[in-house]
Amino acid sequence: MFVNLLNAADRALARLERFMLGIAVGAILLTAIIVLIGIGSREILPFRIPDDTEIIAQLMVVSIAFGLGYVTNNNAHIAIDLFYVHFGRRFQRFCDSIAVVAGLIAFVPITYWAIHDVEKLFRTGRYYAGELQFPEWPTRAIFLFGFAVLSLRLIMIFMRRVTGADLERSTDINADIAA
Amino acid sequence: MDPTLVGIIGLAVALLLIALRTPIAFALGAVAITCIFIFFAFPASGGMHLQRAIKPTLTLSTGTMFELFHSYSLSAIPMFVALGHISYKAGITSDIYFAARAWLNRVPGGLAMASVIGCGGFAAISGSSLACAATMGRVAVPEMQKHGYSDALATGSVAAGGTLGSLIPPSILFILYGVFAEESISSLFIAGVIPGLLSMAGYWLVIAIWASVRPQDAASGSQTFRMSERMMALVNSWPALLIFLIIIGGIYGGIFTATEAAGVSFVVVTVISFVTKRITLKEYFEAIKETAYQTAAIFLIAGAAKIFVTFVSLTGVTNAMLVLVQSYDPSAAVLLIGIAVIYLIMGMFLDPLGILLLTLPFVLPLMEQNGYNLIWFGVIVVKLLEIGLITPPVGLNVFVINSVTEPKVPVGRIFAGVTPFFAMDLVVLGLLLAFPALSLWLT
Amino acid sequence: QTAMLYADHGPNRGTRAASTQWFLSEVEARTEGRIVVDQQWAGALLGAKAMLEGIGSDVASLGTLMGSLYPGEFTGWRVGDLPIVNPNEIAGAMAMHEMMVNNESLIAEFDRQNLKYLGSYSVGPAQMICNSGPITTLEDFDGLKVRYAGEYGNILSQFGAIPVSLSVSKAYQALDTGLIDCSQAYGYLILAYKLYEVTNQYVIFDEGTLQTNAMVMNKDAFEALDAADQKILIDVGTEMTKNNAMDTRKANKAAITKLQEGVDGHSVNVSYLSDEAKVKLHAASKASVDAWIEEANANGYDGQALLDEFQMRLAKNLEIYKD
Ligand code: NA
Ligand code: NA
């Protein structure tokens, strides 16, 4: 029962991750267009985008943060498997658990503090220096959202491991992701 | 607690986690955050301040990660990654490798040598070793594999080729070093040229030896090409040449910056690919999608590594190592070797910029006291920083190549492929140390 | 004994770093070792943008803060960054410092960030380094691509300049390739970043400057000290402010001579903005000043009063620190 619930939540999260990756794709394309306009307005164009480097910096946050959950779900984080491949199956599973715990130690605190940051930036109305005076909180909220999904994904992996759900349905999940 | 001890234990734990296949980003982040907390909670002056330590720890970690993401100048990385993916999917790279093979098929390891030139040229222009690894990793590695090169040689040569980026001008590392050391940047640029070319020649030598000792790793074609076929192959590779010319012309002609060149080449490759009908819309979005999640993976490591730098900075490990070296009252030459070893050790874990910021405040005054030429020392430092990009356990070039190859070449095999190039780097470093004229002759 | 961390975003070389190191060692000496400071340079611990949060939450108890990065937090303090005539480093620094320690609304501004102001750093008037013919009028900027910081990008664009936003570390290469024709710069920075290697024209404006660079301290950490040590920090901060301004003025003046004579064979022509051009510049700057007054008023300050006080103190100090 619980495992079914977990699997349903897992699929919903995977959908969200794919959607966010789509937004990251859009952010990368938009970045290139803004770079091009920036060059153009130095040389020929009669207009320019104010604060274009600031806009690109903010798009970078989207491009990176919105891919974090997807990478984690696809086990695509960069790791060294030099020794791992020689370990026994049980020890490999132990190592996998260590990895998830390390991920939780690293990113849950960052997620937690990002909430604090968004709240504070929203309350104080802090903005970036520049012509358009962009408020800082939306970018920080995007950062928070990316890390929240990353943390949720790590918790999900942890729960599935604890309940053994990862053994039962791992192939199905991969098929779901590939779809 | 003694901060240096916390630092050393932290490094050891990070090493262990990485060996157990904890993702690099997770290992660096978890260790750094934990150790920063310990630093503030158990200060060297004594006492225990668990509650008080939370805020500085979280402020530092979260702020550092965010500031790394929120970066205009690093926006070049995803766009260069995209350039690699699109070029690959559009077959632009196949054409240029076919041409390279047509011209170089009698040279053992010719394609790897060409890759080193391409990578060195690319990195030289973009000023970023990682950008090179990102683009060429996607482009050069699969082409070499297709032509019968082993994974180790294909990835090793590209990873090493990328490290030429900062020695050959322009180079952001030289600019930063010049500002720190109050030395002429143009002299530093000039000083880097011969060491850069020497490094490249060294890599060719490695490839030549490798290909002759293990010919099966660099299968040279048995096929022969007529001159007309060769010319045709060259003509067919025009898209790649055009992109290359636009980038070079644009940067050196003062039309755009190296950062902007990434955006320009991304747009140009998109236009060429669609106009010549080499790519479908579906393949195109597939390429950007791969770009997006590799960007996330690469930047999560870079962000965690940046937090790791702040942790190392807090622990004072850098200064402790220097004090240790000095405590032996070494001769000037031994001191220099000691410092080189410190850079190599730090290069195992940290990124070039982080190392530069951590070490220069301590190292430069020391070098000055000992009467070393700071231009020459700048070349040595940049060479050492570049070596760090390919040394385990944290070798950013290697990681980037791992993340962009499909199917993935395991990190361990890339490190194995890099080893002979690393050995050559040490030889070149030795030459640069022994003969300052190699760096200073042109300045 | 109190062990503190000091964080800086820049290298531990140059005029400002020398002032900082004097400040820190003087504090250690005068408190007879009751305060010891571990220095963290070059942004290894906290970068420029991380400083406000970092010092406010006591990651480092002491650090260098650039107010221009947090325009919303330091609306009042930014009176020192306005494009008004402020040509003497020492007078400008002392005027700013006097305001920081006396003006209640500025003290409150720092209180809100959990910070204690201790002293100011000077950069001197913003000048321009170019690859161009001699520049004496504002119309000479027509069509030139100018890297800027602060308000002068917008102001010069009224005369046909094309503002380009680049970090100072990229200026060298951009000037070298011709991507930009001019970069706003302070005299000593031109030497630090070697911009004379890739330019031929130094244009002296001697107008506005950025005055919002300060040595600041975590307020809780400051208040945890006993009164005697607090006074030492305040006194040393005041002395540092003046000494740093004197050193910066000397460095900026020396830069003019050095650039003309040439460094390593690179020499640069020096031109001065004409008086007529300066009148135009003031007229063009008025919109920026007015916008700031409006912003300050909207944020609960009396903008005009702050500006008047700053100009009054500036005028008084210009009398004291005549050459
Ligand atoms: Na370069
Ligand atoms: Na390394």
Side-chain angles (χ1 to χ4, degrees), chain B residues 343-351 355 384-399 415:
Chain B
Y343 271 90
L344 287 175
I345 293 172
M346 299 190 82
M348 290 168 61
F349 295 95
L350 306 172
D351 69 304
I355 302 171
L384 283 163
L385 295 177
E386 293 282 34
I387 292 175
L389 286 172
I390 55 168
T391 55
V394 180
L396 289 175
N397 266 12
V398 170
F399 295 162
F415 276 127

Side-chain angles (χ1 to χ4, degrees), chain C residues 46-80:
Chain C
L46 293 171
K49 183 71 191 177
M51 218 49 95
L52 178 65
E53 225 71 64
I55 304 169
S57 59
D58 215 9
V59 169
S61 302
L62 285 160
T64 298
L65 189 72
M66 294 161 81
S68 57
L69 293 179
Y70 315 94
E73 272 70 11
F74 298 109
T75 316
W77 190 19
R78 273 165 50 219
V79 71

Side-chain angles (χ1 to χ4, degrees), chain B residues 120-129 164-174 189 252 386, chain C residues 173:
Chain B
F122 186 89
I125 298 161
S126 66
S128 162
S129 300
L164 298 166
S166 291
L167 278 174
I168 300 173
S171 150
I172 194 74
L173 288 183
F174 270 138
F189 278 4
Y252 289 98
E386 293 282 34
Chain C
Q173 210 181 320

Side-chain angles (χ1 to χ4, degrees), chain B residues 52 180 183-184 186 257 313, chain C residues 13 40 58 172 194 197:
Chain B
R52 235 206 100 242
F180 267 81
E183 290 292 340
S184 160
S186 59
T257 64
S313 171
Chain C
R13 324 258 291 178
Q40 301 280 342
D58 215 9
Y172 182 95
K194 323 286 172 199
E197 292 179 0

